[in-house]
């Protein structure tokens, strides 16, 4: 079964690196790219298990904590979220049929995002309190004092005492 083909948007720095790499892989006689940009020994696409094996080997040689190649996908989704990308864009990037799968499986709240969210919420509440306080103070200044009948000390007059 052939894997699905998906178009991915890349930043300009990555595109420049890939273009330079492609230029080193050109056929010397014709100047045209030969086959896949990343290919096996016979020009065929690299097999996923070969990439996984190479990644594991390089990870071990670098002395890094064990991580699966697939875990980089989770990291990419989390970093994309931290960069402010919306879930719909991430869904397309990851090739998911459902945005729910993207949200539930491939994103996690990073501590910096939780702090940013708390700060943004506090700013919103404080700004609303400031503007509401300003409106209330202005309203009080415009309002005229109400004239109330003076309160007499002592007992209250009742209807029977008024009749006398």
């Amino acid at each position: 079964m052939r894997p699905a083909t998906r178009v991915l948007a890349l930043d300009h720095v990555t595109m420049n690196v890939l273009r330079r790499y492609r230029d080193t892989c050109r056929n010397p006689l014709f100047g045209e790219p030969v086959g896949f940009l990343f290919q096996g020994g016979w020009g065929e696409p690299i097999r996923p298990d070969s990439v996984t094996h190479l990644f594991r080997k390089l990870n071990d040689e670098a002395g890094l904590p064990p991580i699966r190649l697939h875990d980089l996908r989770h990291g990419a989704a989390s970093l994309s979220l931290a960069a402010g990308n919306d879930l719909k864009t991430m869904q397309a990037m990851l090739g998911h049929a459902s945005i729910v799968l993207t949200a539930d499986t491939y994103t996690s709240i990073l501590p910096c995002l939780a702090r940013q969210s708390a700060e943004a919420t506090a700013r919103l509440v404080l700004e609303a309190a400031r503007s509401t306080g300003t409106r209330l103070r202005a309203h009080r200044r415009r309002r005229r004092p109400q004239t109330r009948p003076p309160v007499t000390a002592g007992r209250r007059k009742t209807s029977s005492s008024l009749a006398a």
Side-chain angles (χ1 to χ4, degrees), residues 28-161:
L29 298 176
F30 305 109
E32 292 296 316
V34 179
F36 294 95
L37 185 59
F38 302 105
Q39 54 190 347
W42 299 99
E44 76 280 3
I46 299 175
R47 293 182 20 220
D49 61 326
S50 297
V51 175
T52 301
H53 177 74
L54 178 60
F55 177 79
R56 192 175 300 132
K57 179 182 170 198
L58 293 172
N59 188 68
D60 291 345
E61 286 175 4
L64 297 171
I67 184 173
R68 299 173 305 147
L69 180 60
H70 187 78
D71 293 335
L72 297 180
R73 188 173 161 90
H74 296 276
S78 295
L79 290 172
S80 181
L81 182 65
N85 295 319
D86 62 272
L87 284 175
K88 195 67 180 166
T89 302
M90 291 170 53
Q91 175 193 356
M93 176 182 76
L94 296 167
H96 293 156
S98 166
I99 199 167
V100 173
L101 176 64
T102 306
D104 288 347
T105 307
Y106 288 98
T107 61
S108 60
I109 299 298
L110 301 173
C112 66
L113 287 179
R115 278 191 304 280
Q116 287 173 0
S117 176
E119 294 293 336
T121 303
R123 270 193 308 276
L124 184 67
V125 169
L126 292 172
E127 182 56 37
R130 272 189 221 104
S131 65
T132 301
T134 302
R135 283 196 311 268
L136 287 175
R137 284 189 295 277
H139 180 70
R140 274 192 228 124
R141 283 191 295 264
R142 283 191 305 244
R143 202 172 69 188
R144 292 184 190 148
Q146 293 180 356
T147 56
R148 294 184 182 177
V151 177
T152 58
R155 344 185 260 141
R156 236 175 124 183
K157 294 185 181 180
T158 61
S159 58
S160 60
S161 65

